[in-house]
Structures are given as structure tokens and as C-alpha cells.
Amino acid sequence: MKIMIVEDDPTIRGLIGETVGKWGYESVLCDEFNRIQDMFLQTEPHLVLMDINLPIFDGYYWCSRIRELSNVPIIFLSSRDSPMDMVMSMNMGGDDYIQKPFYDEVLIAKIKALLRRTYSYAETPVNIIEHEGVLLNLGDRKLISGDRSVELTKNEFVIVRLLLQNKGHIVSRDKIMRCLWEDESFVDDNTLTVNMTRIRKKLDEVGRYGFITTIKGEGYIIK
């Protein structure tokens, strides 16, 4: 299993990486603190170890950004020792809190317990389709770009999912309507046009103008 380590001290980061490696876990060492969410999507870790004090944004911020995408277990690591920090960590979506300095055995025991609890019953930690920074959460039908998100209706979600799954290829209007029909939602040609207009409006709301291109007489494409 893969563990993402978000720690700004390179020495501590390396040591934690070695520790989890000894126990058979693959480590992802995160050192680009302005694109932690992107790295999370690219690497799809099974668990995140998150420091609170980080450059640019703190660990609470990045925890909430990851929570927009996934229920992957997150353990906060911090030298902060106030009860408020621990409460805050849990409130922001963390699953556990370990105060620095810590024994390796304690860290590994908590990692093993969380992984066992999470993946004994769940199938996958990430349920996202991503293209060019636009994310579609298959769990809650949210469309996300940067720090903005909008919720799609059922039909809008089916259309966007189909276009993203076929990115780089033209998807005909007939194919979209067939897909909606299979999803138990009958739409006619006019209704499809209305849905496409609404989807484009929502993409504009998250700052992704022109994300879907119309190919006249053929259909739509996400390039």
C-alpha cells in the first residue's frame, strides 16, 4: 500500500519514508507544497501523513482539500500539543493525531490499524475522474476546479462523466441520449441542449470556460 508523507522538514520526511518502507509500504514524499492536492490525485495513496505546519497553506487546509475528493485516512503529525490542535485536526477531517517526537512503533501501529479498518470493507480510496485540473467526484456528483465546486444534477453528471471518459474523442448527441436512456432518464434533443447549456454555465462558475467544445453536426468533445 502507498503512503503519502506531507512533511516540510526533509530530514524527518526522509526518516518517515524509510520507516514505512521497512514495513513494506511504498512512500510518496511530498515536497511541492503548493500542489499537494494534485500530487494526491496523481499518486492515489492509501493513507496520508500530514504535518500541520507547512509552507504556503497549513495541513488543515490541505486536509480539507483532500476531503473534497476522498475519504482516504489521514493522520496528522505535529509538534503542537494543545488539546485545541487535536480537536481541530479531527474537525478538519483527520482520522488520528500523533504528537512529535514519536516512536516509530507507535506510528506503524496506527498506520496498520487505520489501513485495516479502512480497507477491510472499502474498495477504493479515490473516486474521481480528472482532466486538465477539472475533477468529477463520482460519489457526490461535484465538479471541482481549483478551490471552486458546483453540484451537478443526475443528467448533467451522466453527460459530463461520459465526455470525460471519452476525452479526446467526439461524443455524438445520439450516444449521449442513449447513455441517459440507459441511466433511466429519457431526454429528447431539446432537453439535451438545455442540459449542455447548464453544464457549460456550471463550468464557467468554476472558471473553466470552453472546457467542452461543440463539433457542429457531430457532437461534443473534451480535448
Side-chain angles (χ1 to χ4, degrees), residues 168-218:
H169 302 280
I170 299 169
V171 181
S172 69
R173 291 176 65 89
D174 285 346
K175 183 172 181 178
I176 294 172
M177 286 192 284
R178 277 201 308 275
C179 189
L180 289 166
W181 175 257
E182 287 166 6
D183 207 61
E184 299 177 351
S185 300
F186 174 75
V187 298
D188 59 22
D189 203 61
N190 288 334
T191 309
L192 177 58
T193 301
V194 171
N195 273 280
M196 291 305 301
T197 302
R198 287 179 180 159
I199 289 169
R200 286 194 159 109
K201 220 168 160 183
K202 290 186 177 180
L203 280 162
D204 290 350
E205 286 176 32
V206 297
R208 300 308 300 252
Y209 306 95
F211 189 69
I212 297 173
T213 303
T214 301
I215 307 297
K216 201 172 176 185
E218 295 188 57

Side-chain angles (χ1 to χ4, degrees), residues 1-5 13-29 45-49 73 75 104-119:
M1 286 193 161
K2 206 182 294 178
I3 296 178
M4 182 175 178
I5 302 165
R13 189 168 64 234
L15 287 173
I16 296 173
E18 286 177 19
T19 300
V20 299
K22 283 179 193 167
W23 285 85
Y25 300 113
E26 181 184 347
S27 60
V28 177
L29 305 182
H46 298 86
L47 183 144
V48 177
L49 298 175
I75 299 176
D104 290 349
E105 292 79 4
V106 173
L107 175 66
I108 294 300
K110 285 181 177 280
I111 288 173
K112 288 174 82 171
L114 258 179
L115 288 175
R116 187 171 56 245
R117 229 170 28 234
T118 305
Y119 299 108

Side-chain angles (χ1 to χ4, degrees), residues 11-121:
T11 303
I12 297 175
R13 189 168 64 234
L15 287 173
I16 296 173
E18 286 177 19
T19 300
V20 299
K22 283 179 193 167
W23 285 85
Y25 300 113
E26 181 184 347
S27 60
V28 177
L29 305 182
C30 183
D31 57 0
E32 294 182 55
F33 300 104
N34 60 340
R35 52 183 302 270
I36 291 170
Q37 191 186 45
D38 292 340
M39 289 188 71
F40 174 82
L41 280 169
Q42 287 166 9
T43 57
E44 298 188 2
H46 298 86
L47 183 144
V48 177
L49 298 175
M50 178 77 73
D51 191 13
I52 294 177
N53 296 322
L54 295 171
I56 309 174
F57 296 108
D58 63 21
Y60 297 139
Y61 171 83
W62 289 113
C63 179
S64 63
R65 295 300 305 273
I66 290 172
R67 280 287 171 263
E68 293 172 359
L69 314 173
S70 169
N71 289 322
V72 68
I74 298 175
I75 299 176
F76 277 102
L77 305 175
S78 178
S79 53
R80 299 187 189 183
D81 59 359
S82 76
M84 186 50 69
D85 285 312
M86 297 178 193
V87 170
M88 184 84 170
S89 300
M90 299 302 114
N91 287 343
M92 294 304 290
D95 296 281
D96 208 335
Y97 186 100
I98 302 178
Q99 189 184 338
K100 297 177 186 171
F102 50 80
Y103 291 105
D104 290 349
E105 292 79 4
V106 173
L107 175 66
I108 294 300
K110 285 181 177 280
I111 288 173
K112 288 174 82 171
L114 258 179
L115 288 175
R116 187 171 56 245
R117 229 170 28 234
T118 305
Y119 299 108
S120 292
Y121 305 103

